[in-house]
């Protein structure tokens, strides 16, 4: 925990608020959720809140004034509760540990809002997650005649800050990625050994998932960053297939899409491998196309390039591969440009190549360059429409590159490729 880092982020946000008229920002961490009965799901902080505080206890709120002064509201010390749930920080220790200017017990939140919000318009809230602001906040704003305030959206300011990762964030994300890579390798070796010992036996998807999750925790990650995808055989054609009871057999492919979360930051790795270590000729053909698409996307990813250049590069390689293999018959599709223009490639590749990565696996940040002039582009219907160009990449942005091919059975598709999914 480096309190100076979080303080600097709060000061940067306050500076942006001053440039937009000042005011006060109110953020809450994520609520606790009931799993069933009196059992809660494991608590996970809100990404925006944690980005500004580094604090991961529930029932926590942050008030940030445009002059940079910060007030944290958190659970008070409670020895009886700590016996069951462990030690909590408490308001007295919070300023020294977190670097906030002031801390109060959570039951003081409503009174504080009544006093400060009406005097400091505008009021900044996160439109990205209005449910995070509970009844206490709404009641306090009404009691303080907050309807006279101008309400502003804090989300764009924070999204633009979070889009650019600093050195500490990049270090954490590299560590998370290394853990996830080790987990994928462990799963591959597990399958290879099982099929070496018993070539005719199958390996259940949930067994493979267990190897991935084991390695995450063994190497210090707190949790998966998103539900693990472990898809055997034809299941790999379902993009977000959850690991189940299906068995992976020799001769099939296994697709794993899994990344750990480490210290609040996500990783995201997708790999596909042959169950028993050897591709069939058809599997190898499609696998090589997807690898070439990823290499093309990598080559297109550099500072100054457009965010979507990687997707366009990958689609061109994939479209050519679809023509070369007969997934798309040439008589009906006259060249790569025609395949792309018609969108015919989406039958086998229906998602984007990349997305931002950070505190959330699909991290925040605009993909369009809203500060640049609009351009006219074909609307696909014979006319033109005005669109913002996609933004240019800059150092500190982090994105995934994960092209794929998914071939479901179809009379128009060569049977040798049926039920092959690769990402």
């Amino acid at each position: 925990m480096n309190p100076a880092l979080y303080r600097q982020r709060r000061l940067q946000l306050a500076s942006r608020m001053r440039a937009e008229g000042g005011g006060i920002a109110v953020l809450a961490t994520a609520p606790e959720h009931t799993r069933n009965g009196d059992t809660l799901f494991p608590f996970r902080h809100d990404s925006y809140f944690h980005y500004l505080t580094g604090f991961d206890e529930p029932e926590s709120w942050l008030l940030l004034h445009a002059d940079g002064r910060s007030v944290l509201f958190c659970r008070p010390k409670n020895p009886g509760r700590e016996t069951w749930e462990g030690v909590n920080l408490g308001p007295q220790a919070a300023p020294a540990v977190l670097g906030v200017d002031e801390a109060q017990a959570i039951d003081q939140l409503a009174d504080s809002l009544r006093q400060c919000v009406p005097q400091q318009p505008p009021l900044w809230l996160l439109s990205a997650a209005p449910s995070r602001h509970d009844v206490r906040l709404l009641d306090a704003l009404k009691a303080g005649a907050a309807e006279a305030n101008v309400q502003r959206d804090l989300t764009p300011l924070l999204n633009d800050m979070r889009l650019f990762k600093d050195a500490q964030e990049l270090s954490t994300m590299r560590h998370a990625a290394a853990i996830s890579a080790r987990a994928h390798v462990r799963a591959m070796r597990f399958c290879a050994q099982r099929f070496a010992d018993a070539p005719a036996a199958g390996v259940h998807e949930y067994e493979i998932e267990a190897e991935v999750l084991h390695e995450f925790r063994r190497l210090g990650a707190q949790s998966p960053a998103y539900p693990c995808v472990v898809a055997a055989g034809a299941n790999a054609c379902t993009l977000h297939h959850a690991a189940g009871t299906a068995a992976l057999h020799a001769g099939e492919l296994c697709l794993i899409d899994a990344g750990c979360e480490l210290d609040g930051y996500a990783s995201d790795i997708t790999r596909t491998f042959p169950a028993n270590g050897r591709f069939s000729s058809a599997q190898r053909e499609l696998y090589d196309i997807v690898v070439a698409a990823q290499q093309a996307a990598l080559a297109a990813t550099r500072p100054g390039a457009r965010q979507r250049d990687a997707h366009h590069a990958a689609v061109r390689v994939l479209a050519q591969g679809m023509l070369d293999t007969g997934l798309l018959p040439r008589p009906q599709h006259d060249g790569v440009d025609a395949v792309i223009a018609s969108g015919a490639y989406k039958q086998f590749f229906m998602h984007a190549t990349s997305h931002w990565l950070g505190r959330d696996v699909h991290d925040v940040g605009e993909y369009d360059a809203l500060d640049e002039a609009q351009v006219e582009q074909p609307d696909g219907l014979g006319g033109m429409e005005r669109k913002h160009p996609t933004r240019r990449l800059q150092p500190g942005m982090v994105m995934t590159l994960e092209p794929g091919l998914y071939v479901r059975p179809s009379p128009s598709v060569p049977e040798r490729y049926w039920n092959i999914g690769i990402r």
Side-chain angles (χ1 to χ4, degrees), residues 94 119 146 152 167 185 229 251 264 287 311 329 380 408:
Q119 303 171 14
R152 299 283 180 83
V185 171
V229 173
Y287 184 87
H311 179 67
R408 288 187 167 87

Side-chain angles (χ1 to χ4, degrees), residues 64-214:
L64 179 65
H65 299 257
D67 62 5
R69 186 167 61 90
S70 55
V71 183
L72 181 82
F73 294 84
C74 61
R75 286 176 172 175
K77 298 288 287 183
N78 185 330
R81 187 169 188 166
E82 289 181 348
T83 299
W84 292 90
E85 300 178 2
V87 176
N88 67 297
L89 185 61
Q92 288 187 327
V97 174
L98 302 177
V100 294
D101 297 297
E102 182 183 348
Q104 299 181 29
I106 188 64
D107 58 10
Q108 299 300 309
L109 174 66
D111 288 339
S112 294
L113 288 171
R114 290 190 190 98
Q115 294 173 17
C116 68
V117 169
Q119 303 171 14
Q120 300 186 55
L123 173 66
W124 294 84
L125 301 172
L126 285 170
S127 66
S131 63
R132 293 189 179 103
H133 301 289
D134 68 8
V135 174
R136 287 173 299 176
L137 172 61
L138 298 178
D139 288 346
L141 296 182
K142 292 176 182 178
E147 62 273 9
N149 286 273
V150 178
Q151 185 169 316
R152 299 283 180 83
D153 185 5
L154 191 63
T155 308
L157 301 186
L158 274 173
N159 284 358
D160 194 58
M161 289 174 59
R162 284 178 53 186
L163 178 58
F164 295 89
K165 276 65 177 177
D166 59 34
Q168 181 170 317
E169 291 177 293
L170 293 174
S171 176
T172 301
M173 293 183 70
R174 289 190 179 99
H175 189 183
I179 292 173
S180 295
R182 291 277 296 273
H184 279 257
V185 171
R186 180 189 181 102
M188 294 176 190
R189 288 175 172 164
F190 169 75
C191 290
Q193 187 61 54
R194 284 285 294 270
F195 284 107
D197 294 342
V203 182
H204 293 102
E205 291 170 341
Y206 63 79
E207 296 180 85
I208 302 170
E209 180 188 36
E211 297 296 316
V212 172
L213 297 177
H214 176 93

Side-chain angles (χ1 to χ4, degrees), residues 9-76:
R9 290 175 183 166
R10 293 193 295 271
L11 292 175
Q12 182 182 350
L13 178 59
S15 176
R16 295 185 178 213
M17 290 164 55
R18 289 197 300 273
E20 298 289 338
I24 184 171
V26 181
L27 299 91
T29 195
E32 293 182 291
H33 292 287
T34 299
R35 183 184 185 276
N36 63 295
D38 60 355
T39 301
L40 299 175
F41 281 107
F43 177 72
R44 201 275 188 185
H45 55 255
D46 173 74
S47 293
Y48 290 106
F49 179 86
H50 197 268
Y51 177 76
L52 294 174
T53 65
F55 191 49
D56 59 4
E57 290 185 19
E59 288 192 273
S60 305
W61 291 67
L62 175 69
L63 269 61
L64 179 65
H65 299 257
D67 62 5
R69 186 167 61 90
S70 55
V71 183
L72 181 82
F73 294 84
C74 61
R75 286 176 172 175

